[in-house]
């Protein structure tokens, strides 16, 4: 059994056999020749065989010694290779971020090069996934989460708000206006596109505004905001979505508010989340500072856009209707 083998003596034996002499082995190991000789004698006693032939000042391996040397040299070589691989991995700079898919594609990706320019010597991995990280079982530095906060036992900091209101394409809005001058009436006749993983969904919004009725159904239910926004841009209906993801379409005019009669709901939506110990990591601090600055600039840009449309902003704290399911998009 391995516990019965003197690993220190094995190390001395391997060095003597590889270098061809006790003096050379002692020099490499940083010990005296007598210490090497003592370890070799103990090793031979443990195996009960001679490992070296001693002829005057020369040492040569016996057949048993040769068999043992082939095995030990391979084992030590493998251990050295593993040690070097571990050292290279420790010296490499890795940053692993998890972020919700639609936000990753529509908001983060167009800005990511700026962050990469700040960290040219880092290896960056981004997982665009709807599930939050389990920091106890997964190797992840940081989550950029969409939600309302309140994740127990974790450091969390809001870095960006969402501003949500009904929006559609200008052509679809003209169709609705041709049917009714009343925004409520327009909604009753509209095809509603439901982003099922957003924080504020149609059920909450319709109840909040007292817009109820048998026609208030939405046959289009999508689990990605990016798809819902694309359908709305193509004129398929009205979507209740955020300026964070729809900013390019809103600024270009591809999407417009359904009506200024309805206020925009603003709430903290994107959070930096990780174990508190991760905040001491340099790369986490760099990313946090970078996203914090971009988030503040985005919030100001979104607010100016929304007020420019003539919408009133209702500040919220990320509340949901009781019992509603919620997941990252």
């Amino acid at each position: 059994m391995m516990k019965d083998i003197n690993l220190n003596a094995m190390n001395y034996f391997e060095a003597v056999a590889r270098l061809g002499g006790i003096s050379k082995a002692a020099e490499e190991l940083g010990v005296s020749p007598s210490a090497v000789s003592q370890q070799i004698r103990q090793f031979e006693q443990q195996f009960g065989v001679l490992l070296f032939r001693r002829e005057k000042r020369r040492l040569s391996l016996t057949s048993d010694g040769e068999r043992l040397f082939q095995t030990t040299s391979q084992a030590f070589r493998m251990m050295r290779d593993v040690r070097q691989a571990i050292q290279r991995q420790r010296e490499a700079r890795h940053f692993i971020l998890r972020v919700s898919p639609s936000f990753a594609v529509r908001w983060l990706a167009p800005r990511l090069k700026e962050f990469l320019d700040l960290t040219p010597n880092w290896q960056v991995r981004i997982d665009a996934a709807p599930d939050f990280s389990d920091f106890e079982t997964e190797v992840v530095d940081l989550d950029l989460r969409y939600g309302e906060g309140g994740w127990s036992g974790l450091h969390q900091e809001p870095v960006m708000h969402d501003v949500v209101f009904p929006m559609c394409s200008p052509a679809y809005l003209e169709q609705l206006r041709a049917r009714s001058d009343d925004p409520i009436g327009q909604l009753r006749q509209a095809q509603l596109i439901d982003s099922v993983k957003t924080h504020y969904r149609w059920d909450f919004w319709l109840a909040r505004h007292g817009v109820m009725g048998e026609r208030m159904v939405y046959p289009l239910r999508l689990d990605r905001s990016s798809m819902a926004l694309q359908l709305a841009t193509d004129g398929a209906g009205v979507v209740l979505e955020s300026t964070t993801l729809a900013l390019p379409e809103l600024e270009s005019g591809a999407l417009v508010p359904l009506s200024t009669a309805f206020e925009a709901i603003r709430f903290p939506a994107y959070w930096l989340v990780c174990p508190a110990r991760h905040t001491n990591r340099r790369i986490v601090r760099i990313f946090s500072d970078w996203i914090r600055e971009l988030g503040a600039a985005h919030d100001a840009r979104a607010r100016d856009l929304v007020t420019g449309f003539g919408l009133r902003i209702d500040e919220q704290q990320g509340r949901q209707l009781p019992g509603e399911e919620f997941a990252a998009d």
Side-chain angles (χ1 to χ4, degrees):
M1 297 176 65
M2 284 298 295
K3 67 179 182 179
D4 297 326
I5 297 177
N6 186 331
L7 295 180
N8 190 48
M10 180 185 289
N11 187 33
Y12 280 55
F13 163 76
E14 190 275 338
V16 172
R18 174 169 46 84
L19 297 172
I22 288 178
S23 297
K24 291 181 179 180
E27 182 179 354
E28 179 181 282
L29 296 169
V31 297
S32 65
S34 60
V36 174
S37 297
Q38 182 180 2
Q39 289 291 330
I40 295 299
R41 284 194 296 271
Q42 291 178 359
F43 205 45
E44 288 179 326
Q45 291 171 4
Q46 185 176 29
F47 277 86
V49 296
L50 289 176
L51 300 175
F52 293 97
R53 295 187 183 91
R54 296 164 176 82
E55 300 172 353
K56 298 182 180 180
R57 293 181 176 272
R58 294 182 57 194
L59 289 179
S60 61
L61 288 167
T62 64
S63 59
D64 290 327
E66 183 65 36
R67 290 173 59 193
L68 184 59
F69 173 65
Q70 293 299 324
T71 301
T72 56
S73 62
Q74 181 179 4
F76 277 104
R77 183 170 58 252
M78 292 174 63
M79 286 189 288
R80 283 192 293 267
D81 291 344
V82 170
R83 182 184 63 186
Q84 291 173 0
I86 291 173
Q87 288 175 338
R88 286 195 300 269
Q89 184 176 6
R90 290 183 63 184
E91 291 169 359
R93 296 180 172 185
H94 296 273
F95 176 58
I96 302 176
L97 173 72
R98 180 163 292 172
V99 60
S100 57
S102 291
F103 181 83
V105 173
R106 295 184 65 89
W107 194 92
L108 183 61
R111 298 165 173 82
L112 191 57
K113 184 179 182 301
E114 180 181 333
F115 173 68
L116 298 179
D117 289 342
L118 294 175
T119 55
N121 297 320
W122 287 82
Q123 298 181 28
V124 176
R125 171 180 165 179
I126 297 179
D127 291 336
D131 300 322
F132 298 150
S133 297
D134 182 347
F135 291 100
E136 298 305 315
T137 61
E138 297 180 271
V139 181
V140 179
D141 291 295
L142 191 64
D143 270 13
L144 184 50
R145 293 187 181 181
Y146 174 72
E148 59 181 334
W151 297 284
S152 178
L154 294 171
H155 168 82
Q156 50 201 284
E157 175 191 354
V159 292
M160 194 179 307
H161 288 72
D162 247 351
V163 184
V164 175
F165 54 86
M167 58 186 76
C168 61
S169 70
Y172 192 77
L173 180 57
E174 289 303 315
Q175 294 177 28
L176 294 178
R177 287 176 174 173
R179 300 172 189 172
S180 174
D181 294 330
D182 177 30
I184 298 295
Q186 294 167 4
L187 264 180
R188 290 186 183 279
Q189 299 186 60
Q191 178 162 262
L192 303 185
I193 302 169
D194 189 26
S195 293
V196 300
K197 290 187 177 180
T198 56
H199 190 61
Y200 282 98
R201 294 180 58 192
W202 278 118
D203 285 345
F204 171 78
W205 194 92
L206 295 172
R208 174 189 175 98
H209 290 83
V211 185
M212 306 300 291
E214 61 182 17
R215 295 199 63 185
M216 296 315 303
V217 295
Y218 23 92
L220 301 177
R221 300 167 64 87
L222 304 169
D223 72 343
R224 292 291 181 269
S225 290
S226 54
M227 293 190 294
L229 286 167
Q230 185 61 55
L231 275 180
T233 303
D234 292 341
V238 180
V239 68
L240 182 66
E241 264 294 350
S242 75
T243 55
T244 299
L245 301 182
L247 194 62
E249 289 83 359
L250 289 168
E251 290 184 331
S252 69
L255 289 175
V256 295
L258 176 67
S259 174
T260 57
F262 305 126
E263 80 280 4
I265 302 173
R266 184 176 185 267
F267 62 97
Y270 293 93
W271 305 68
L272 293 177
V273 181
C274 64
R277 63 183 181 275
H278 288 198
T279 60
N280 294 323
R281 298 178 182 176
R282 179 170 174 266
I283 189 63
V284 170
R285 295 197 302 270
I286 292 174
F287 183 85
S288 299
D289 291 343
W290 176 75
I291 199 72
R292 195 180 295 117
E293 182 178 349
L294 261 64
H298 171 85
D299 280 354
R301 182 177 171 187
R303 182 185 288 274
D304 289 345
L305 177 69
V306 171
T307 56
F309 283 134
L311 295 173
R312 183 177 64 86
I313 296 178
D314 183 12
E315 299 284 349
Q316 298 287 311
Q317 297 302 316
R319 294 190 299 271
Q320 280 185 277
L321 285 178
E324 280 206 355
E325 295 182 358
F326 170 71
D329 175 17

PDB file of all heavy atoms in Angstrom, residues 294-318:
ATOM      1  N   LEU A 294     -21.443  52.709 -16.620  1.00  0.00           N
ATOM      2  CA  LEU A 294     -22.301  52.571 -17.793  1.00  0.00           C
ATOM      3  C   LEU A 294     -23.775  52.546 -17.412  1.00  0.00           C
ATOM      4  O   LEU A 294     -24.623  53.084 -18.129  1.00  0.00           O
ATOM      5  CB  LEU A 294     -21.950  51.294 -18.562  1.00  0.00           C
ATOM      6  CG  LEU A 294     -21.044  51.493 -19.780  1.00  0.00           C
ATOM      7  CD1 LEU A 294     -19.670  52.010 -19.352  1.00  0.00           C
ATOM      8  CD2 LEU A 294     -20.901  50.186 -20.558  1.00  0.00           C
ATOM      9  N   GLY A 295     -24.076  51.906 -16.275  1.00  0.00           N
ATOM     10  CA  GLY A 295     -25.462  51.847 -15.825  1.00  0.00           C
ATOM     11  C   GLY A 295     -26.024  53.219 -15.516  1.00  0.00           C
ATOM     12  O   GLY A 295     -27.169  53.531 -15.865  1.00  0.00           O
ATOM     13  N   ALA A 296     -25.221  54.064 -14.866  1.00  0.00           N
ATOM     14  CA  ALA A 296     -25.676  55.421 -14.555  1.00  0.00           C
ATOM     15  C   ALA A 296     -25.909  56.218 -15.830  1.00  0.00           C
ATOM     16  O   ALA A 296     -26.910  56.953 -15.947  1.00  0.00           O
ATOM     17  CB  ALA A 296     -24.649  56.118 -13.667  1.00  0.00           C
ATOM     18  N   ALA A 297     -25.008  56.072 -16.800  1.00  0.00           N
ATOM     19  CA  ALA A 297     -25.177  56.781 -18.073  1.00  0.00           C
ATOM     20  C   ALA A 297     -26.412  56.282 -18.815  1.00  0.00           C
ATOM     21  O   ALA A 297     -27.169  57.068 -19.414  1.00  0.00           O
ATOM     22  CB  ALA A 297     -23.932  56.610 -18.940  1.00  0.00           C
ATOM     23  N   HIS A 298     -26.632  54.961 -18.779  1.00  0.00           N
ATOM     24  CA  HIS A 298     -27.812  54.399 -19.440  1.00  0.00           C
ATOM     25  C   HIS A 298     -29.097  54.884 -18.785  1.00  0.00           C
ATOM     26  O   HIS A 298     -30.064  55.223 -19.472  1.00  0.00           O
ATOM     27  CB  HIS A 298     -27.763  52.871 -19.394  1.00  0.00           C
ATOM     28  CG  HIS A 298     -29.025  52.223 -19.858  1.00  0.00           C
ATOM     29  ND1 HIS A 298     -29.279  51.965 -21.181  1.00  0.00           N
ATOM     30  CD2 HIS A 298     -30.119  51.816 -19.168  1.00  0.00           C
ATOM     31  CE1 HIS A 298     -30.471  51.410 -21.296  1.00  0.00           C
ATOM     32  NE2 HIS A 298     -31.000  51.307 -20.085  1.00  0.00           N
ATOM     33  N   ASP A 299     -29.111  54.918 -17.455  1.00  0.00           N
ATOM     34  CA  ASP A 299     -30.317  55.374 -16.746  1.00  0.00           C
ATOM     35  C   ASP A 299     -30.676  56.802 -17.148  1.00  0.00           C
ATOM     36  O   ASP A 299     -31.856  57.125 -17.374  1.00  0.00           O
ATOM     37  CB  ASP A 299     -30.099  55.299 -15.234  1.00  0.00           C
ATOM     38  CG  ASP A 299     -30.268  53.881 -14.696  1.00  0.00           C
ATOM     39  OD1 ASP A 299     -30.667  53.002 -15.478  1.00  0.00           O
ATOM     40  OD2 ASP A 299     -29.996  53.658 -13.506  1.00  0.00           O
ATOM     41  N   ALA A 300     -29.678  57.667 -17.233  1.00  0.00           N
ATOM     42  CA  ALA A 300     -29.932  59.054 -17.619  1.00  0.00           C
ATOM     43  C   ALA A 300     -30.442  59.133 -19.058  1.00  0.00           C
ATOM     44  O   ALA A 300     -31.374  59.897 -19.365  1.00  0.00           O
ATOM     45  CB  ALA A 300     -28.656  59.877 -17.458  1.00  0.00           C
ATOM     46  N   ARG A 301     -29.848  58.340 -19.925  1.00  0.00           N
ATOM     47  CA  ARG A 301     -30.264  58.323 -21.337  1.00  0.00           C
ATOM     48  C   ARG A 301     -31.694  57.822 -21.488  1.00  0.00           C
ATOM     49  O   ARG A 301     -32.494  58.397 -22.244  1.00  0.00           O
ATOM     50  CB  ARG A 301     -29.293  57.426 -22.104  1.00  0.00           C
ATOM     51  CG  ARG A 301     -29.529  57.306 -23.603  1.00  0.00           C
ATOM     52  CD  ARG A 301     -28.426  56.439 -24.189  1.00  0.00           C
ATOM     53  NE  ARG A 301     -28.656  56.072 -25.570  1.00  0.00           N
ATOM     54  CZ  ARG A 301     -27.891  55.216 -26.240  1.00  0.00           C
ATOM     55  NH1 ARG A 301     -26.843  54.644 -25.632  1.00  0.00           N
ATOM     56  NH2 ARG A 301     -28.173  54.917 -27.495  1.00  0.00           N
ATOM     57  N   ALA A 302     -32.020  56.758 -20.751  1.00  0.00           N
ATOM     58  CA  ALA A 302     -33.367  56.207 -20.829  1.00  0.00           C
ATOM     59  C   ALA A 302     -34.401  57.178 -20.266  1.00  0.00           C
ATOM     60  O   ALA A 302     -35.494  57.343 -20.824  1.00  0.00           O
ATOM     61  CB  ALA A 302     -33.430  54.878 -20.081  1.00  0.00           C
ATOM     62  N   ARG A 303     -34.068  57.828 -19.159  1.00  0.00           N
ATOM     63  CA  ARG A 303     -35.000  58.791 -18.566  1.00  0.00           C
ATOM     64  C   ARG A 303     -35.272  59.954 -19.523  1.00  0.00           C
ATOM     65  O   ARG A 303     -36.415  60.377 -19.694  1.00  0.00           O
ATOM     66  CB  ARG A 303     -34.443  59.314 -17.242  1.00  0.00           C
ATOM     67  CG  ARG A 303     -35.358  60.293 -16.532  1.00  0.00           C
ATOM     68  CD  ARG A 303     -34.671  60.859 -15.286  1.00  0.00           C
ATOM     69  NE  ARG A 303     -34.591  59.866 -14.244  1.00  0.00           N
ATOM     70  CZ  ARG A 303     -35.579  59.651 -13.372  1.00  0.00           C
ATOM     71  NH1 ARG A 303     -36.710  60.341 -13.447  1.00  0.00           N
ATOM     72  NH2 ARG A 303     -35.441  58.752 -12.430  1.00  0.00           N
ATOM     73  N   ASP A 304     -34.219  60.462 -20.151  1.00  0.00           N
ATOM     74  CA  ASP A 304     -34.401  61.563 -21.110  1.00  0.00           C
ATOM     75  C   ASP A 304     -35.284  61.125 -22.278  1.00  0.00           C
ATOM     76  O   ASP A 304     -36.132  61.887 -22.760  1.00  0.00           O
ATOM     77  CB  ASP A 304     -33.046  62.031 -21.637  1.00  0.00           C
ATOM     78  CG  ASP A 304     -32.239  62.772 -20.579  1.00  0.00           C
ATOM     79  OD1 ASP A 304     -32.822  63.177 -19.551  1.00  0.00           O
ATOM     80  OD2 ASP A 304     -31.015  62.937 -20.783  1.00  0.00           O
ATOM     81  N   LEU A 305     -35.079  59.900 -22.741  1.00  0.00           N
ATOM     82  CA  LEU A 305     -35.871  59.399 -23.859  1.00  0.00           C
ATOM     83  C   LEU A 305     -37.340  59.291 -23.480  1.00  0.00           C
ATOM     84  O   LEU A 305     -38.225  59.741 -24.226  1.00  0.00           O
ATOM     85  CB  LEU A 305     -35.345  58.025 -24.289  1.00  0.00           C
ATOM     86  CG  LEU A 305     -36.119  57.332 -25.410  1.00  0.00           C
ATOM     87  CD1 LEU A 305     -35.910  58.070 -26.723  1.00  0.00           C
ATOM     88  CD2 LEU A 305     -35.687  55.874 -25.536  1.00  0.00           C
ATOM     89  N   VAL A 306     -37.606  58.722 -22.310  1.00  0.00           N
ATOM     90  CA  VAL A 306     -38.990  58.495 -21.890  1.00  0.00           C
ATOM     91  C   VAL A 306     -39.717  59.814 -21.650  1.00  0.00           C
ATOM     92  O   VAL A 306     -40.858  59.999 -22.095  1.00  0.00           O
ATOM     93  CB  VAL A 306     -39.013  57.603 -20.627  1.00  0.00           C
ATOM     94  CG1 VAL A 306     -40.417  57.531 -20.046  1.00  0.00           C
ATOM     95  CG2 VAL A 306     -38.513  56.202 -20.972  1.00  0.00           C
ATOM     96  N   THR A 307     -39.068  60.716 -20.957  1.00  0.00           N
ATOM     97  CA  THR A 307     -39.712  62.018 -20.734  1.00  0.00           C
ATOM     98  C   THR A 307     -39.861  62.788 -22.046  1.00  0.00           C
ATOM     99  O   THR A 307     -40.800  63.564 -22.214  1.00  0.00           O
ATOM    100  CB  THR A 307     -38.904  62.845 -19.717  1.00  0.00           C
ATOM    101  OG1 THR A 307     -37.543  62.980 -20.180  1.00  0.00           O
ATOM    102  CG2 THR A 307     -38.909  62.177 -18.350  1.00  0.00           C
ATOM    103  N   GLY A 308     -38.949  62.547 -22.981  1.00  0.00           N
ATOM    104  CA  GLY A 308     -39.072  63.173 -24.296  1.00  0.00           C
ATOM    105  C   GLY A 308     -40.300  62.689 -25.052  1.00  0.00           C
ATOM    106  O   GLY A 308     -40.867  63.426 -25.876  1.00  0.00           O
ATOM    107  N   PHE A 309     -40.720  61.454 -24.784  1.00  0.00           N
ATOM    108  CA  PHE A 309     -41.954  60.937 -25.375  1.00  0.00           C
ATOM    109  C   PHE A 309     -43.191  61.563 -24.739  1.00  0.00           C
ATOM    110  O   PHE A 309     -44.297  61.428 -25.256  1.00  0.00           O
ATOM    111  CB  PHE A 309     -42.041  59.418 -25.201  1.00  0.00           C
ATOM    112  CG  PHE A 309     -41.183  58.636 -26.151  1.00  0.00           C
ATOM    113  CD1 PHE A 309     -40.398  57.592 -25.692  1.00  0.00           C
ATOM    114  CD2 PHE A 309     -41.168  58.921 -27.510  1.00  0.00           C
ATOM    115  CE1 PHE A 309     -39.610  56.847 -26.567  1.00  0.00           C
ATOM    116  CE2 PHE A 309     -40.391  58.185 -28.394  1.00  0.00           C
ATOM    117  CZ  PHE A 309     -39.609  57.151 -27.927  1.00  0.00           C
ATOM    118  N   GLY A 310     -43.008  62.213 -23.590  1.00  0.00           N
ATOM    119  CA  GLY A 310     -44.144  62.786 -22.880  1.00  0.00           C
ATOM    120  C   GLY A 310     -44.747  61.846 -21.856  1.00  0.00           C
ATOM    121  O   GLY A 310     -45.856  62.093 -21.370  1.00  0.00           O
ATOM    122  N   LEU A 311     -44.027  60.777 -21.511  1.00  0.00           N
ATOM    123  CA  LEU A 311     -44.540  59.825 -20.538  1.00  0.00           C
ATOM    124  C   LEU A 311     -44.177  60.246 -19.120  1.00  0.00           C
ATOM    125  O   LEU A 311     -43.068  60.723 -18.873  1.00  0.00           O
ATOM    126  CB  LEU A 311     -43.956  58.430 -20.795  1.00  0.00           C
ATOM    127  CG  LEU A 311     -44.339  57.749 -22.108  1.00  0.00           C
ATOM    128  CD1 LEU A 311     -43.541  56.463 -22.268  1.00  0.00           C
ATOM    129  CD2 LEU A 311     -45.825  57.452 -22.155  1.00  0.00           C
ATOM    130  N   ARG A 312     -45.098  60.052 -18.210  1.00  0.00           N
ATOM    131  CA  ARG A 312     -44.807  60.254 -16.796  1.00  0.00           C
ATOM    132  C   ARG A 312     -44.151  59.001 -16.251  1.00  0.00           C
ATOM    133  O   ARG A 312     -44.514  57.879 -16.607  1.00  0.00           O
ATOM    134  CB  ARG A 312     -46.095  60.544 -16.023  1.00  0.00           C
ATOM    135  CG  ARG A 312     -45.892  60.839 -14.542  1.00  0.00           C
ATOM    136  CD  ARG A 312     -47.212  61.174 -13.873  1.00  0.00           C
ATOM    137  NE  ARG A 312     -48.123  60.047 -13.885  1.00  0.00           N
ATOM    138  CZ  ARG A 312     -48.129  59.082 -12.958  1.00  0.00           C
ATOM    139  NH1 ARG A 312     -47.236  59.109 -11.969  1.00  0.00           N
ATOM    140  NH2 ARG A 312     -49.003  58.099 -13.027  1.00  0.00           N
ATOM    141  N   ILE A 313     -43.154  59.173 -15.375  1.00  0.00           N
ATOM    142  CA  ILE A 313     -42.428  58.029 -14.810  1.00  0.00           C
ATOM    143  C   ILE A 313     -42.903  57.766 -13.391  1.00  0.00           C
ATOM    144  O   ILE A 313     -42.914  58.663 -12.544  1.00  0.00           O
ATOM    145  CB  ILE A 313     -40.909  58.276 -14.825  1.00  0.00           C
ATOM    146  CG1 ILE A 313     -40.407  58.386 -16.267  1.00  0.00           C
ATOM    147  CG2 ILE A 313     -40.180  57.156 -14.095  1.00  0.00           C
ATOM    148  CD1 ILE A 313     -38.930  58.677 -16.380  1.00  0.00           C
ATOM    149  N   ASP A 314     -43.308  56.547 -13.144  1.00  0.00           N
ATOM    150  CA  ASP A 314     -43.736  56.112 -11.816  1.00  0.00           C
ATOM    151  C   ASP A 314     -42.621  55.268 -11.204  1.00  0.00           C
ATOM    152  O   ASP A 314     -42.292  54.191 -11.712  1.00  0.00           O
ATOM    153  CB  ASP A 314     -45.022  55.292 -11.927  1.00  0.00           C
ATOM    154  CG  ASP A 314     -45.560  54.857 -10.568  1.00  0.00           C
ATOM    155  OD1 ASP A 314     -45.068  55.376  -9.545  1.00  0.00           O
ATOM    156  OD2 ASP A 314     -46.448  53.992 -10.535  1.00  0.00           O
ATOM    157  N   GLU A 315     -42.007  55.780 -10.155  1.00  0.00           N
ATOM    158  CA  GLU A 315     -40.903  55.075  -9.510  1.00  0.00           C
ATOM    159  C   GLU A 315     -41.430  53.923  -8.653  1.00  0.00           C
ATOM    160  O   GLU A 315     -42.297  54.107  -7.808  1.00  0.00           O
ATOM    161  CB  GLU A 315     -40.093  56.033  -8.635  1.00  0.00           C
ATOM    162  CG  GLU A 315     -39.454  57.177  -9.386  1.00  0.00           C
ATOM    163  CD  GLU A 315     -38.220  56.740 -10.158  1.00  0.00           C
ATOM    164  OE1 GLU A 315     -37.754  55.603  -9.933  1.00  0.00           O
ATOM    165  OE2 GLU A 315     -37.718  57.542 -10.973  1.00  0.00           O
ATOM    166  N   GLN A 316     -40.888  52.728  -8.882  1.00  0.00           N
ATOM    167  CA  GLN A 316     -41.268  51.544  -8.113  1.00  0.00           C
ATOM    168  C   GLN A 316     -40.023  50.970  -7.443  1.00  0.00           C
ATOM    169  O   GLN A 316     -38.891  51.359  -7.737  1.00  0.00           O
ATOM    170  CB  GLN A 316     -41.902  50.496  -9.039  1.00  0.00           C
ATOM    171  CG  GLN A 316     -43.179  50.964  -9.712  1.00  0.00           C
ATOM    172  CD  GLN A 316     -44.350  51.031  -8.763  1.00  0.00           C
ATOM    173  OE1 GLN A 316     -44.616  50.075  -8.026  1.00  0.00           O
ATOM    174  NE2 GLN A 316     -45.055  52.148  -8.761  1.00  0.00           N
ATOM    175  N   GLN A 317     -40.250  49.986  -6.587  1.00  0.00           N
ATOM    176  CA  GLN A 317     -39.142  49.328  -5.901  1.00  0.00           C
ATOM    177  C   GLN A 317     -39.035  47.866  -6.295  1.00  0.00           C
ATOM    178  O   GLN A 317     -38.534  47.044  -5.551  1.00  0.00           O
ATOM    179  CB  GLN A 317     -39.335  49.444  -4.379  1.00  0.00           C
ATOM    180  CG  GLN A 317     -39.325  50.858  -3.874  1.00  0.00           C
ATOM    181  CD  GLN A 317     -38.045  51.584  -4.208  1.00  0.00           C
ATOM    182  OE1 GLN A 317     -36.951  51.041  -4.061  1.00  0.00           O
ATOM    183  NE2 GLN A 317     -38.159  52.817  -4.668  1.00  0.00           N
ATOM    184  N   GLY A 318     -39.482  47.530  -7.499  1.00  0.00           N
ATOM    185  CA  GLY A 318     -39.339  46.163  -7.981  1.00  0.00           C
ATOM    186  C   GLY A 318     -40.363  45.212  -7.420  1.00  0.00           C
ATOM    187  O   GLY A 318     -40.088  44.031  -7.228  1.00  0.00           O
TER     188      GLY A 318
END
